[in-house]
Amino acid sequence: MHSPLLAPLGALLLLAGCSDQPAAEPKAPETKTAADDSTLPNTGGDAPIELSAIGEGELLALDGELGCSFTIEGQDGAALVAKADVGPQATAQGAVKIGGRVQRVAGSGGFTALEKGMQLSGTGVKLTIARTAETSSPTGNEQTAYPATLVASRTFGGEQSFDGEWVCGA
């Protein structure tokens, strides 16, 4: 049984082979790409990263048995609050106030990793907390305070370091 399309297809191929014209190269469809950086979204780039204290009523609900907070020198409240369960498989959850907006961040590791200082990340930002001394001072309310540095980095440029206090406990 022959297909009714086979004969016309064969004739078309035969004519194309006998033509004086070179076979046309198939054209790839045109795609538009960004010609310059002015068409790319503004992600903050190298503009200063502004962290500020999380106000009353702004803190997001966080899960975890124990927590830590980072207060920047000269500010009256924590710019970063994070909580985690005890255990190495736990995930730390946090909230940070960047440019007047509170947003979620998270990192791998339980409370022990959080207390030592860890990396947390969220939409367009990475935060690295590092204790600058192992000597701590008790706060009198089941928490311990350490001098620390928080480095905030944007995904596409910009980094800023903040000195402050990393307070952890119940």
Side-chain angles (χ1 to χ4, degrees):
M1 187 163 164
H2 295 289
S3 171
L5 296 177
L6 194 54
L9 184 60
L12 184 61
L13 289 174
L14 186 61
L15 288 174
C18 296
S19 170
D20 290 350
Q21 301 290 330
E25 296 275 329
K27 272 191 171 180
E30 285 188 37
T31 57
K32 294 186 180 190
T33 58
D36 62 353
D37 290 343
S38 66
T39 60
L40 298 175
N42 181 4
T43 59
D46 293 324
I49 299 171
E50 297 177 25
L51 298 184
S52 56
I54 298 171
E56 196 173 315
E58 290 183 310
L59 186 59
L60 304 172
L62 302 171
D63 293 329
E65 298 171 288
L66 300 169
C68 296
S69 62
F70 185 84
T71 303
I72 298 169
E73 286 179 3
Q75 290 190 1
D76 58 352
L80 168 67
V81 176
K83 290 179 119 181
D85 289 330
V86 176
Q89 301 303 320
T91 300
Q93 303 179 13
V96 62
K97 189 169 182 180
I98 302 175
R101 192 177 125 240
V102 178
Q103 70 179 58
R104 289 190 179 277
V105 290
S108 298
F111 177 73
T112 302
L114 181 64
E115 184 179 32
K116 289 179 181 176
M118 69 184 315
Q119 191 173 88
L120 301 164
S121 57
T123 305
V125 68
K126 177 176 70 174
L127 307 171
T128 305
I129 300 102
R131 297 189 322 202
T132 55
E134 289 305 311
T135 56
S136 63
S137 55
T139 62
N141 58 359
E142 297 184 33
Q143 296 180 331
T144 306
Y146 301 91
T149 300
L150 185 150
V151 176
S153 308
R154 284 197 175 92
T155 304
F156 298 106
E159 181 176 287
Q160 191 158 347
S161 180
F162 301 89
D163 292 327
E165 189 173 57
W166 186 234
V167 179
C168 297

